[in-house]
């Protein structure tokens, strides 16, 4: 089973920009206090530009190694990125490595890769979802359910339902699917898939009321 919903180029760029926005202010403030003035600002720009350029280059190297199916080399590159100062590139590289490992049938290695990611809290839910899908694919349904816990977003509820369905708990699965459906936008592409899952679990789907 492939890990779906991986980041496209635009999403990768957005994550890098988000990381910079989030961490840049505190770093700038620290440098300004410690060094002060224009010289400090210029030094910071040069230093951060160097780190960012270096991390980007390492990330591209990892992507090339993955393209060439050199997973062991890519794994070493991911560890280097994760230990670096631009964490977001380490997270992105780890996600790409996990996908390649799944494609190569190395599910346990992919699980280890995903579990090692120390992403910001805002990305933890998405990573947990990928882990849960992989746990289901490897028959560890109870672990997937425990991981998702009390998550209330549509994607997590759907995956929770998938795990219950795989265990033969159709009524409980239907409940999760119905909750997921209620939290999903009427125009969402995933809606039809969820409706099918509700019906497969023995439920009925009513057309949402049109807004006026």
């Amino acid at each position: 089973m492939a890990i779906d919903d991986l980041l496209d180029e635009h999403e990768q760029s957005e994550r890098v920009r988000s990381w910079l926005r989030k961490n840049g202010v505190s770093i700038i403030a620290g440098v300004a206090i410690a060094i002060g003035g224009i010289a400090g600002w210029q030094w910071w720009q040069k230093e951060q530009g160097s780190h960012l350029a270096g991390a980007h280059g390492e990330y591209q190297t990892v992507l090339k190694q993955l393209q060439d199916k050199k997973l062991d080399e890519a794994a070493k590159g991911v560890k280097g990125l994760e230990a670096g100062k631009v964490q977001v590139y380490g997270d992105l590289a780890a996600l790409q490595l996990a996908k390649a490992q799944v494609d190569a049938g190395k599910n346990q290695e992919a699980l280890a890769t995903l579990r090692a990611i120390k992403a910001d809290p805002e990305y933890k839910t998405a990573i947990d979802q990928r882990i849960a899908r992989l746990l289901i694919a490897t028959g560890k349904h109870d672990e997937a359910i425990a991981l998702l816990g009390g998550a209330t977003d549509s994607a997590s509820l759907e995956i929770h339902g998938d795990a219950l369905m795989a265990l033969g708990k159709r009524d409980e699965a239907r409940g999760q699917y119905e909750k997921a459906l209620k939290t999903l936008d009427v125009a969402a592409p995933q809606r039809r898939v969820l409706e099918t899952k509700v019906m497969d679990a023995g439920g009925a789907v009513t057309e949402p009321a049109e807004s006026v």
Side-chain angles (χ1 to χ4, degrees):
M1 172 184 173
I3 301 174
D4 56 3
D5 300 328
L6 280 170
L7 307 173
D8 59 24
E9 258 184 58
H10 172 71
E11 290 173 306
Q12 290 176 23
S13 298
E14 282 303 309
R15 284 208 179 183
V16 173
R17 282 194 285 269
S18 173
W19 187 90
L20 288 173
R21 286 195 298 268
K22 200 173 189 183
N23 294 275
V25 174
S26 59
I27 296 172
I28 291 171
V31 171
I33 292 170
I35 301 177
I38 296 174
W41 167 247
Q42 290 175 336
W43 174 86
W44 180 88
Q45 283 186 309
K46 183 178 179 181
E47 187 75 4
Q48 289 305 109
S50 176
H51 287 315
L52 190 60
H56 180 74
E58 291 176 38
Y59 177 63
Q60 293 300 321
T61 297
V62 169
L63 294 185
K64 181 64 168 61
Q65 290 167 339
L66 292 175
Q67 185 180 356
D68 295 339
K69 312 297 183 184
K70 298 177 180 178
L71 301 191
D72 291 340
E73 292 181 27
K76 292 177 184 177
V78 168
K79 287 183 180 179
L81 280 166
E82 288 176 333
K85 295 188 177 183
V86 188
Q87 180 188 344
V88 66
Y89 275 120
D91 296 343
L92 293 172
L95 286 170
Q96 298 288 356
L97 173 61
K99 180 181 183 302
Q101 288 168 330
V102 169
D103 291 343
K106 299 181 177 182
N107 291 336
Q108 295 306 319
E109 291 182 25
L111 276 170
T113 297
L114 289 170
R115 283 170 166 161
I117 298 175
K118 296 180 177 63
D120 292 334
E122 62 185 300
Y123 304 130
K124 186 177 185 303
T125 297
I127 292 171
D128 283 348
Q129 288 167 0
R130 288 168 169 78
I131 294 173
R133 288 191 181 103
L134 196 47
L135 287 170
I136 293 171
T138 53
K140 299 175 182 177
H141 310 106
D142 289 327
E143 287 186 38
I145 292 170
L147 175 65
L148 295 173
T152 57
D153 63 283
S154 178
S156 295
L157 289 168
E158 180 183 354
I159 299 167
H160 193 158
D162 291 344
L164 290 166
M165 196 69 171
L167 289 171
K169 300 180 179 180
R170 294 176 78 245
D171 291 342
E172 293 179 49
R174 183 173 66 250
Q176 294 298 315
Y177 291 146
E178 288 173 344
K179 288 179 186 176
L181 203 55
K182 289 178 181 177
T183 65
L184 200 61
D185 187 86
V186 174
Q190 182 65 9
R191 190 172 186 87
R192 290 301 177 190
V193 175
L194 259 175
E195 289 175 344
T196 300
K197 289 184 178 183
V198 169
M199 291 186 287
D200 286 345
V205 175
T206 57
E207 289 295 325
E210 292 185 6
S211 57
V212 293

